[in-house]
Amino acid sequence: MFILDDPYVSDFLKQTVLSRKGAVLDNAKARVSLNDEASDVRLLDDEEFAAEARKAPRIYANSENAIGWIAANLADTKLPAMIDVFKDKVAFRDLIAPLYPDYFYKGVAYDDLDDVDPEELFYPCVVKPAVGFFSLGVHRVESAADWKPIVQKIRDEVERIRQYYPPEVLDVDRFVIEQCIEGEEFAVDAFYDGDGNVVIVNILGHLFASADDVSDRVYITSPSIIERWREPFTEFLAELGRRANLADFPVHVEMRVDENGHIAPIEVNPMRFAGWCVTDLAYHAYGVNPYACYLDGAAPDWERILPQREGNVYAVVVADIAPDVDCASIVQVNYEEFKNRFSTPLELRPVDYKRYGVFAFLFAQAREDDLSELHAILGSDLKEFMKLG
């Protein structure tokens, strides 16, 4: 069963839905995405879909916009409780607090940010929306002297951010202030099967331009990343699943690993894999369909897959628009020039930048011993690809 919603339904997800001839919640996004091929699937209204969902073991939602519908229509099922503990970052920190007794975090209302005593915080720390998406509204604070300037930056951003996503996806009325987790950052697409066992369908390494970079510009996956981290991440997610009683549930988990190998979660995004259908990178990289894996309860055959891709890296580049660029002033984006910046582009996905503040997602391939193209794009403001009016 599928719930399709904004911001984006990829052709790959669409073809997966059509090939499975499954049940799809009848909404505006589903009809637009499936076009004339909607007759090849079962479009069910709210009542019909909810009735079938109570019997079906697995639902996949491509967007957290679906969370509001699930809360309203499936309140008598296990889904809302599993979602709630992860969607609110403060509730999530409460859940895992026994595992990290020395970790500092604090929930605060947006209206009360100015009242926070910066001398009482643990530095460096991160302040971000309690219910968030991408790195919108996320800021790193190095010292007490930086607190008030950062709060002002947040206030300057809030109105611009609010227009992009509904509160179920991005709620800027509440924030969490938490201790910075140092180390390498990873994002994991995984699901819990009917018995609560963890199945990983991809692992992404997060590249940064600098220590204070909090953007989502570049993520990479490779056989060496999968081989190194699949087992320890599976063990960690199994413990998380036990604490939250998870089963038949997909997640996109962001975490850091310090120099001693200690794993600490940043956040867990429920009911989906990587947002904006970025999870499709698993297909480009490994021929793995993450949606089919979850719905069938099947694990990728990593022992067979990985040796065939050794030495390669597969990346997704998020062409986010710099905060100092007014999206309304963009006259044109040179997508071809952006695509040609990479020697082995795999797929370019243009985005309505006036609506979302991102002009494209690009999948690309590189050699593990040469990531120069990816590091170069990390340091770009991307204005070279835009014609501004």
Side-chain angles (χ1 to χ4, degrees), residues 103-155:
Y103 184 79
F104 168 83
Y105 68 98
K106 174 186 179 73
V108 60
Y110 169 71
D111 291 339
D112 296 335
L113 286 173
D114 285 316
D115 298 329
V116 171
D117 183 352
E119 298 297 337
E120 296 179 354
L121 302 181
F122 187 105
Y123 297 99
C125 64
V126 171
V127 56
K128 57 188 177 182
V131 177
F133 188 58
F134 274 169
S135 292
L136 298 172
V138 178
H139 290 272
R140 180 181 172 112
V141 188
E142 297 292 341
S143 68
D146 295 330
W147 177 253
K148 289 193 179 299
I150 292 295
V151 170
Q152 186 56 53
K153 282 186 179 181
I154 291 171
R155 297 205 181 282

Side-chain angles (χ1 to χ4, degrees), residues 47-323:
E47 186 175 342
E48 292 170 327
F49 192 91
E52 189 152 332
R54 292 186 179 92
K55 299 179 290 183
R58 298 182 180 94
I59 301 171
Y60 184 81
N62 71 301
S63 164
E64 287 168 36
N65 289 11
I67 288 174
W69 187 92
I70 291 170
N73 293 275
L74 294 174
D76 57 333
T77 71
K78 61 185 180 181
L79 277 179
M82 290 193 292
I83 290 169
D84 287 348
V85 75
F86 294 125
K87 194 53 202 162
D88 187 309
K89 292 180 176 63
V90 178
F92 173 56
R93 289 296 171 202
D94 291 342
L95 173 73
I96 63 172
L99 298 176
Y100 305 94
D102 298 325
Y103 184 79
F104 168 83
Y105 68 98
K106 174 186 179 73
V108 60
Y110 169 71
D111 291 339
D112 296 335
L113 286 173
D114 285 316
D115 298 329
V116 171
D117 183 352
E119 298 297 337
E120 296 179 354
L121 302 181
F122 187 105
Y123 297 99
C125 64
V126 171
V127 56
K128 57 188 177 182
V131 177
F133 188 58
F134 274 169
S135 292
L136 298 172
V138 178
H139 290 272
R140 180 181 172 112
V141 188
E142 297 292 341
S143 68
D146 295 330
W147 177 253
K148 289 193 179 299
I150 292 295
V151 170
Q152 186 56 53
K153 282 186 179 181
I154 291 171
R155 297 205 181 282
D156 293 341
E157 291 176 2
V158 160
E159 291 308 315
R160 182 175 68 91
I161 289 173
R162 275 185 170 139
Q163 65 183 308
Y164 294 150
Y165 302 98
E168 293 86 359
V169 176
L170 179 67
D171 182 359
V172 290
D173 290 331
R174 296 182 304 116
F175 279 72
V176 60
I177 305 165
E178 57 185 15
Q179 175 182 341
C180 278
I181 302 170
E182 304 295 351
E184 286 188 87
E185 183 172 319
F186 296 90
V188 181
D189 283 341
F191 65 88
Y192 295 85
D193 67 15
D195 296 321
N197 299 311
V198 177
V199 177
I200 288 178
V201 295
N202 202 5
I203 301 173
L204 304 171
H206 192 174
L207 300 186
F208 292 99
S210 63
D212 58 354
D213 181 12
V214 294
S215 72
D216 285 315
R217 176 63 60 80
V218 178
Y219 287 88
I220 62 171
T221 186
S222 69
S224 59
I225 289 174
I226 300 289
E227 289 168 348
R228 171 65 183 88
W229 295 110
R230 182 163 61 97
E231 191 170 311
F233 287 170
T234 297
E235 292 177 2
F236 171 78
L237 292 177
E239 175 62 27
L240 193 64
R242 285 190 288 270
R243 290 179 175 272
N245 297 313
L246 301 181
D248 295 320
F249 197 69
V251 290
H252 177 71
V253 185
E254 297 177 16
M255 59 184 78
R256 282 189 184 265
V257 183
D258 70 16
E259 59 186 9
N260 297 314
H262 298 141
I263 300 170
I266 299 170
E267 63 185 44
V268 178
N269 298 282
M271 290 302 297
R272 64 169 176 85
F273 300 136
W276 280 83
C277 293
V278 166
T279 192
D280 297 358
L281 181 62
Y283 185 76
H284 284 292
Y286 309 115
V288 169
N289 185 327
Y291 314 112
C293 286
Y294 165 58
L295 294 168
D296 294 336
D301 184 358
W302 293 117
E303 283 69 25
R304 177 187 61 82
I305 292 170
L306 297 182
Q308 304 171 25
R309 276 83 172 177
E310 286 293 344
N312 289 330
V313 166
Y314 305 88
V316 58
V317 180
V318 183
D320 54 321
I321 296 171

Side-chain angles (χ1 to χ4, degrees), residues 300-360:
D301 184 358
W302 293 117
E303 283 69 25
R304 177 187 61 82
I305 292 170
L306 297 182
Q308 304 171 25
R309 276 83 172 177
E310 286 293 344
N312 289 330
V313 166
Y314 305 88
V316 58
V317 180
V318 183
D320 54 321
I321 296 171
D324 62 342
V325 175
D326 180 359
C327 292
S329 70
I330 301 175
V331 176
Q332 186 179 16
V333 172
N334 192 330
Y335 288 104
E336 195 63 22
E337 184 180 347
F338 176 64
K339 180 179 178 180
N340 290 337
R341 171 63 72 88
F342 303 91
S343 56
T344 313
L346 301 173
E347 182 185 357
L348 175 68
R349 296 176 174 177
V351 172
D352 182 352
Y353 49 82
K354 293 186 186 298
R355 183 177 181 187
Y356 292 113
V358 173
F359 71 73

